Amino acid sequence: MAPRALWKGQLRLSLVSIPVEIFSATKSGARVSFRQIHKPSGKRIRYEKSVPGIGPVKTEDIVKGYEVDDDEYILLDPDEIDAIKLETKKTFELVQFVDACEISPLYFDKPYYITASDDLAQDAYRVVRDALRQAGMVGLGQVTMRGKEYLAAVKPCGDGLLMETLHYEDELREADAIFTDIEDDTSDKDLLEVATSLIDRKSAPFDAGAYHDKYAEAMQALLDAKIKNKKTPRVRADDDESAGGDNVVDLMSALKQSLKDADGKKRKRPSKKAS
């Protein structure tokens, strides 16, 4: 299945605008995931939004609360939050260029691929890619995705361009407070020499393929073995299975309330006047 673009718009460099698409460079489904099962009944654990003493609540009755003191919150309606949400801008402008080494690794967050949207855009796309590569620079700009504005760096990556979102300065912790207990003293000369020699012996070009998630591989091997073993305990938890017990009562109450609300709105709706 082809990946879906997270953003479509224009990559702008001064007066040059290039139609591009942005894709995530990482796969969320690469790791093993589990569902929680109630062992005695074999049914899936389900979660519902509820209030103590009230029970399940309707989604439209839920608002966001910002804690200003112990157990004291100011409430924000969804409309208030939507009003200040940044619209997804269709332009990602490179406004500054810096040497890649100037950006501390602490700032880098998530990688994305940028591709040209069509064949006509490829010439300009390649020019930007090759210019960045030749200059040894990284382009900086801000891009709006999913209602949030990100600081991002763009650099060549193989035949294309890689975009990496960056943390803003106020999102990073100061290191001094963390390293305060480490004494500012020189290392033992002999020990330093041995450590340096060890680093030299183990130095080699980076090869990501040489490293594997041993835990994930062991977990997958365990799962494969249990799947093949006919004695492995199994349950069938159908998606359309009723939750049972109190949950059925709660669900029925919620459905009945929804019907009442819908009927009430129908009765209150004014009839259309003939024109």
Side-chain angles (χ1 to χ4, degrees), residues 8 23 40 90 94 106 128 144 148 152 167 171 213 248:
K8 296 181 181 181
F23 297 84
K90 296 302 179 184
L94 300 181
L106 283 171
V128 172
T144 305
K148 182 180 176 183
H167 294 290
E171 293 179 316
D213 187 337
V248 172

Side-chain angles (χ1 to χ4, degrees), residues 22-274:
I22 295 176
F23 297 84
S24 176
T26 58
K27 296 185 292 183
S28 58
R31 293 178 177 271
V32 171
S33 61
F34 296 98
R35 286 189 180 274
Q36 291 186 317
I37 302 293
H38 180 234
K39 191 173 181 179
S41 66
K43 299 182 186 298
R44 288 221 312 259
I45 301 294
R46 301 179 186 274
Y47 296 93
E48 62 183 359
K49 295 177 181 179
S50 62
V51 176
I54 296 176
V57 295
K58 294 182 285 187
T59 302
E60 57 265 30
D61 290 336
I62 300 174
V63 298
K64 292 186 183 295
Y66 179 79
E67 190 169 9
V68 292
D69 204 349
D70 289 342
D71 293 328
E72 182 183 350
Y73 299 84
I74 56 171
L75 302 182
L76 297 170
D77 288 323
D79 291 342
E80 292 178 298
I81 296 173
D82 288 340
I84 63 167
K85 261 188 179 179
L86 294 168
E87 292 183 8
T88 301
K89 295 178 182 176
K90 296 302 179 184
T91 301
F92 175 20
E93 184 172 6
L94 300 181
V95 297
Q96 184 188 358
F97 298 90
V98 301
D99 191 296
C101 297
E102 289 184 38
I103 306 176
S104 167
L106 283 171
Y107 283 93
F108 291 101
D109 183 22
K110 288 188 68 176
Y112 298 84
Y113 295 128
I114 302 179
T115 64
S117 294
D118 51 53
D119 293 341
L120 295 175
Q122 287 195 20
D123 285 342
Y125 177 90
R126 283 192 293 266
V127 169
V128 172
R129 178 201 65 194
D130 294 344
L132 287 171
R133 182 174 286 136
Q134 188 170 318
M137 303 291 271
V138 170
L140 295 177
Q142 289 176 285
V143 59
T144 305
M145 299 187 296
R146 299 167 178 167
K148 182 180 176 183
E149 192 169 42
Y150 296 88
L151 175 61
V154 175
K155 59 186 176 183
C157 175
D159 292 333
L161 291 170
L162 180 73
M163 180 187 88
E164 292 183 271
T165 53
L166 306 174
H167 294 290
Y168 287 101
E169 186 178 33
D170 60 0
E171 293 179 316
L172 298 180
R173 286 195 179 100
E174 290 290 338
D176 291 346
I178 307 297
F179 299 144
T180 186
D181 293 334
I182 300 176
E183 295 180 7
D184 186 13
D185 199 2
T186 56
S187 299
D188 180 88
K189 189 176 180 180
D190 293 336
L191 291 175
L192 182 61
E193 186 177 337
V194 172
T196 305
S197 298
L198 182 61
I199 290 172
D200 288 339
R201 288 181 192 174
K202 289 184 173 288
S203 295
F206 175 64
D207 177 15
Y211 299 89
H212 301 275
D213 187 337
K214 295 185 178 117
Y215 171 78
E217 289 178 346
M219 178 59 69
Q220 191 60 59
L222 172 63
L223 291 172
D224 291 342
K226 290 184 81 66
I227 289 170
K228 289 178 182 178
N229 187 352
K230 294 182 179 179
K231 294 182 179 179
T232 299
R234 299 168 192 254
V235 296
R236 182 169 296 281
D238 296 330
D239 285 340
D240 58 351
E241 218 172 38
S242 298
D246 293 336
N247 284 342
V248 172
V249 177
D250 292 337
L251 178 59
M252 185 59 73
S253 299
L255 289 172
K256 284 181 178 178
Q257 186 60 49
S258 296
L259 285 172
K260 283 183 184 177
D261 293 343
D263 288 341
K265 286 178 183 176
K266 263 188 184 178
R267 283 194 290 270
K268 289 179 184 178
R269 189 179 299 158
S271 58
K272 291 184 180 178
K273 292 182 179 179

